């Protein structure tokens, strides 16, 4: 897989300001607590590798520096598997599928008082305190359209 290794995108991912609430909430949890669930690790790694196209070893090294339950073999194997073996996980679809709205509100105070649709796809609304996404990918279109059908 060709990696683009955009340093600015890497820093946004590390700082949890990608503009993708599902990713940012989990990265903020990691940065603040040193913890991230396995499902979160998979989703943040998938976005990192398959959407941002950053070398998986950069993400593995970042997790190594942050995780309080860090284990060398588990971390590096999981990142390698995400880069080369495991299927892609769409962060927009995953945020809706796993009903992550309250989790996102907990970790992203800029979205705390927003309705469900604004929490899941804030780029569709005028929310000045939350960053615009690095990119909105066409492969997310179906998930975005499903969220737009939510009754708020």
């Amino acid at each position: 897989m060709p990696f683009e290794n955009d340093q600015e995108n890497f820093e946004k991912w590390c700082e949890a300001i990608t503009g993708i609430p599902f990713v940012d909430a989990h990265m903020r949890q990691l940065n603040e607590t040193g913890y991230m669930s396995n499902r979160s690790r998979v989703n943040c790694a998938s976005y990192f590798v398959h959407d941002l196209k950053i070398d998986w070893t950069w993400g593995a090294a970042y997790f190594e520096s942050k995780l309080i339950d860090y284990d060398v073999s588990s971390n590096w194997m999981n990142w390698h598997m995400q880069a080369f073996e495991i299927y892609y996980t769409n962060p927009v679809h995953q945020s809706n599928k796993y009903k992550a709205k309250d989790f996102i509100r907990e970790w992203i105070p800029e979205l705390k008082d927003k309705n469900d649709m604004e929490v899941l796809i804030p780029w569709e609304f005028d929310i000045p305190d939350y960053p615009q996404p690095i990119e909105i990918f066409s492969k997310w279109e179906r998930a975005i359209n499903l969220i737009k059908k939510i009754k708020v």
Side-chain angles (χ1 to χ4, degrees):
M1 170 183 308
F3 295 115
E4 296 172 6
N5 296 335
D6 183 302
Q7 183 68 35
E8 184 179 338
N9 288 348
F10 174 68
E11 290 170 12
K12 286 180 178 181
W13 180 83
C14 293
E15 295 168 15
I17 53 170
T18 66
I20 307 303
F22 193 64
V23 173
D24 290 348
H26 291 295
M27 291 302 293
R28 289 181 188 194
Q29 180 187 39
L30 173 67
N31 291 337
E32 188 173 318
T33 69
Y35 174 76
M36 182 186 276
S37 72
N38 185 63
R39 169 67 44 199
S40 306
R41 295 175 199 202
V42 167
N43 282 285
C44 288
S46 180
Y47 174 75
F48 185 88
V49 171
H50 299 289
D51 291 325
L52 298 182
K53 296 186 179 358
I54 301 173
D55 186 326
W56 66 275
T57 62
W58 295 20
Y62 187 77
F63 274 23
E64 180 176 342
S65 74
K66 293 290 184 180
L67 288 167
I68 57 174
D69 65 346
Y70 174 74
D71 175 79
V72 67
S73 57
S74 294
N75 183 60
W76 287 82
M77 185 274 305
N78 284 335
W79 273 93
H80 183 271
M81 291 292 291
Q82 187 59 55
F84 299 109
E85 303 291 332
I86 297 178
Y87 60 91
Y88 171 74
T89 60
N90 174 333
V92 177
H93 171 71
Q94 295 285 302
S95 66
N96 195 29
K97 177 181 179 179
Y98 289 102
K99 298 176 174 67
K101 296 172 286 293
D102 290 337
F103 179 81
I104 291 167
R105 286 185 184 101
E106 178 182 348
W107 289 102
I108 303 178
E110 306 95 285
L111 300 177
K112 182 179 173 120
D113 297 325
K114 303 301 179 192
N115 67 44
D116 289 351
M117 196 180 311
E118 292 169 324
V119 167
L120 295 174
I121 52 172
W123 57 86
E124 296 281 334
F125 305 92
D126 183 23
I127 302 176
D129 296 339
Y130 189 66
Q132 287 297 307
I134 293 170
E135 184 174 346
I136 299 298
F137 297 92
S138 60
K139 59 189 168 186
W140 297 351
E141 187 176 328
R142 184 170 183 259
I144 291 168
N145 288 335
L146 286 173
I147 291 168
K148 287 179 178 179
K149 294 178 182 179
I150 294 173
K151 293 185 184 194
V152 290

